[in-house]
């Protein structure tokens, strides 16, 4: 319903308030997002997610689009609600969480407050399959990168992950092309990091 809200930042604390056309939007967020925001009175753009519960509605928001994408993925795990997802994205960047899931590093994930080893293992179990299942990947266009000095499997893995995160073919193709030209190495981890860096600013 709301992709983003752009307006004046009038409050920031555990939540933030953005005024747009005389309406103040209260947006739940975390300290990592707040730390990225400018001073009160500045213009901001916050990517939002409307959460509709039986007895209430709330807006959750992030400064970076990438964080909202990861938030959506996290809350798709049974047992992960808004609070835990925000805690995870407060403790780790989206890139770090993806790396931990792909590497099955449940011990690092369990460092987040309120996330024990069992929940961390569950997050990895449910998310890794979603992020790396090539059977669900569509519109792979390796030909576009055939002249690049990068292994096709690395490109395929990155495309699969980005598509699983909800990015469109146009978005992830441009991001991977940018990443291949800017990454210091040619492995999937480095390409993914550069691609997400670009996508987070779209």
């Amino acid at each position: 319903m709301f992709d983003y809200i752009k307006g004046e930042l009038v409050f920031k604390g555990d939540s933030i308030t953005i005024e747009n056309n005389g309406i103040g939007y209260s947006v739940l967020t975390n300290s990592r997002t707040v730390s990225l925001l400018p001073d009160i009175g500045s213009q901001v753009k916050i990517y939002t997610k409307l959460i509709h519960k039986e007895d209430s509605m709330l807006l959750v928001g992030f400064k970076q689009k990438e964080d909202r994408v990861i938030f959506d993925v996290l809350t798709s795990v049974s047992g992960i609600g808004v609070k835990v997802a925000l805690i995870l994205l407060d403790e780790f960047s989206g890139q770090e969480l993806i790396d931990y899931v792909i590497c099955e590093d449940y011990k690092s994930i369990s460092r987040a407050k309120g996330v024990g080893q069992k929940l961390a293992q569950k997050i990895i179990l449910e998310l890794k399959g979603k992020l790396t299942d090539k059977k669900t990947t569509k519109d792979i266009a390796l030909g576009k990168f055939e002249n690049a000095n990068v292994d096709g499997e690395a490109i395929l893995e990155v495309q699969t992950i980005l598509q699983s995160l909800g990015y469109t073919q146009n978005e992830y193709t441009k991001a991977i092309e940018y990443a291949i030209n800017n990454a210091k190495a040619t492995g999937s981890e480095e390409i993914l990091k550069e691609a997400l860096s670009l996508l987070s600013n779209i």
Side-chain angles (χ1 to χ4, degrees), residues 1-201:
M1 183 176 181
F2 298 103
D3 184 29
Y4 62 85
I5 297 174
K6 190 174 183 179
E8 180 183 352
L9 180 66
V10 297
F11 173 79
K12 57 180 179 178
D14 292 335
S15 63
I16 59 176
T17 301
I18 303 169
E19 183 174 338
N20 178 288
N21 291 324
I23 300 174
Y25 295 90
S26 179
V27 182
L28 183 65
T29 188
N30 55 27
S31 58
R32 180 185 287 269
T33 297
V34 172
S35 71
L36 297 173
L37 297 177
D39 294 335
I40 298 295
S42 302
Q43 292 292 307
V44 295
K45 181 179 181 180
I46 298 295
Y47 293 95
T48 57
K49 175 73 175 183
L50 179 65
I51 307 296
H52 192 182
K53 299 183 178 181
E54 291 183 4
D55 57 350
S56 65
M57 287 193 296
L58 60 90
L59 278 173
V60 178
F62 304 94
K63 181 70 170 60
Q64 297 178 320
K65 189 176 183 180
E66 170 196 341
D67 287 341
R68 184 185 61 182
V69 173
I70 304 299
F71 174 84
D72 285 342
V73 174
L74 284 171
T75 52
S76 72
V77 176
S78 57
I80 300 292
V82 171
K83 183 177 180 181
V84 175
L86 285 175
I87 288 173
L88 285 165
L89 284 168
D90 203 17
E91 181 73 25
F92 314 109
S93 68
Q95 173 65 40
E96 287 173 327
L97 277 172
I98 292 173
D99 287 345
Y100 294 151
V101 169
I102 299 302
C103 296
E104 299 185 8
D105 186 357
Y106 69 89
K107 290 184 179 179
S108 291
I109 295 176
S110 66
R111 294 201 313 263
K113 183 179 179 180
V115 179
Q117 290 192 1
K118 286 186 177 180
L119 182 55
Q121 289 172 326
K122 185 177 184 181
I123 290 170
I124 290 171
L125 181 64
E126 293 196 26
L127 291 190
K128 186 173 182 180
K130 292 181 180 180
L131 293 176
T132 60
D133 185 4
K134 294 181 176 63
K135 294 180 180 179
T136 63
T137 305
K138 301 177 181 178
D139 301 318
I140 295 299
L142 292 178
K144 184 176 180 64
F145 310 106
E146 60 185 3
N147 295 323
N149 187 28
V150 181
D151 180 65
E153 279 300 310
I155 295 174
L156 182 62
E157 181 178 349
V158 174
Q159 285 186 331
T160 301
I161 292 171
L162 293 179
Q163 184 167 298
S164 298
L165 291 173
Y167 291 108
T168 66
Q169 180 189 14
N170 184 54
E171 288 175 331
Y172 66 64
T173 300
K174 288 182 178 178
I176 292 173
E177 188 171 14
Y178 166 85
I180 289 173
N181 292 328
N182 289 276
K184 295 180 180 179
T186 56
S188 59
E189 183 178 337
E190 293 80 13
I191 295 172
L192 179 62
K193 182 178 180 179
E194 290 292 340
L196 285 172
S197 176
L198 176 66
L199 290 166
S200 68
N201 295 312

